[in-house]
Amino acid sequence: EAEVAQSPRYKITEKSQAVAFWCDPISGHATLYWYRQILGQGPELLVQFQDESVVDDSQLPKDRFSAERLKGVDSTLKIQPAELGDSAMYLCASSPNRQNTEAFFGQGTRLTVV
Amino acid sequence: QKEVEQDPGPLSVPEGAIVSLNCTYSNSAFQYFMWYRQYSRKGPELLMYTYSSGNKEDGRFTAQVDKSSKYISLFIRDSQPSDSATYLCATYSSASKIIFGSGTRLSIRP
């Protein structure tokens, strides 16, 4: 069964360091999402791609966060410098297209900033 | 006001009970409604989605949408300990952004 792959599963980093997360969506899925989920809360959208283009990054803290999907396939989310408040689960999801109702999530990367 | 509101619980019920999970939403333009289940330390998995008003049944799960009151529900019949998880309601904005509720933590006691 096709899955959204994310790595690493867990990451501990010191504040002010750089950290990167990787996502490989289900093959053929044009839409890719990065969400952040703080413990006890629902996921909140950080950035949405349609193929290689960003369609929504309104909630992405652009002073420290960046995301790319250069060839419209896999994607990288970077934080530099990391802050204590960035500790959360970072979830990647993909969907066949923007109009499709089913988004499939990866297992997430749990980030702890110390 | 959040676009999707959900009681965070926790909710604890005995095995075999009927569970009712509920959300409200603010924008009458929302059309698609989804329920995701999330086990501890895992990503959310899609349980069910519905379009507009009405009911949709899948095994022990029933999703219900009442657009007149902007209310969405998930019912679980014959609840099992394996149903213990966090349940997230969600909808699509006009920009195809998935908006989630805060999640309800459910525990089924054997």
Side-chain angles (χ1 to χ4, degrees), chain B residues 33-89:
Chain B
F33 304 93
M34 296 161 281
W35 284 96
Y36 282 84
R37 177 174 61 194
Q38 186 174 25
Y39 291 114
S40 182
R41 299 189 182 89
K42 303 283 189 180
E45 58 175 326
L46 182 66
L47 266 180
M48 300 180 70
Y49 71 87
T50 55
Y51 175 72
S52 194
S53 280
N55 292 359
K56 185 174 183 179
E57 190 173 318
D58 184 0
R60 296 184 295 110
F61 297 88
T62 300
Q64 189 174 79
V65 177
D66 181 349
K67 292 203 78 182
S68 62
S69 58
K70 301 193 188 73
Y71 203 79
I72 54 179
S73 302
L74 179 71
F75 299 97
I76 307 174
R77 291 186 301 280
D78 187 25
S79 56
Q80 305 293 309
S82 59
D83 296 327
S84 298
T86 295
Y87 289 80
L88 298 156
C89 60

Side-chain angles (χ1 to χ4, degrees), chain A residues 33-61:
Chain A
Y33 306 86
W34 281 102
Y35 279 83
R36 177 169 60 185
Q37 186 176 24
I38 295 169
L39 193 64
Q41 298 182 21
E44 292 185 325
L45 182 69
L46 289 174
V47 61
Q48 179 181 344
F49 289 92
Q50 181 68 17
D51 298 310
E52 67 276 7
S53 300
V54 173
V55 296
D56 187 342
D57 64 355
S58 56
Q59 299 303 310
L60 188 71

Side-chain angles (χ1 to χ4, degrees), chain A residues 9-10 33 35 37 40-43 45 48 56 58 89 91 95 98-103 105-107 110, chain B residues 2 8 32 34 36 38 41-46 49 86 88 92 94-103:
Chain A
R9 286 293 311 276
Y10 304 94
Y33 306 86
Y35 279 83
Q37 186 176 24
Q41 298 182 21
L45 182 69
Q48 179 181 344
D56 187 342
S58 56
M89 174 83 91
L91 294 160
S95 179
R98 287 185 70 187
Q99 305 307 318
N100 195 283
T101 58
E102 296 191 60
F105 281 80
Q107 298 285 27
R110 179 164 295 281
Chain B
K2 286 190 173 181
Y32 291 95
M34 296 161 281
Y36 282 84
Q38 186 174 25
R41 299 189 182 89
K42 303 283 189 180
E45 58 175 326
L46 182 66
Y49 71 87
T86 295
L88 298 156
Y92 269 87
S94 58
S96 297
K97 180 171 87 172
I98 306 172
I99 304 167
F100 285 91
S102 57

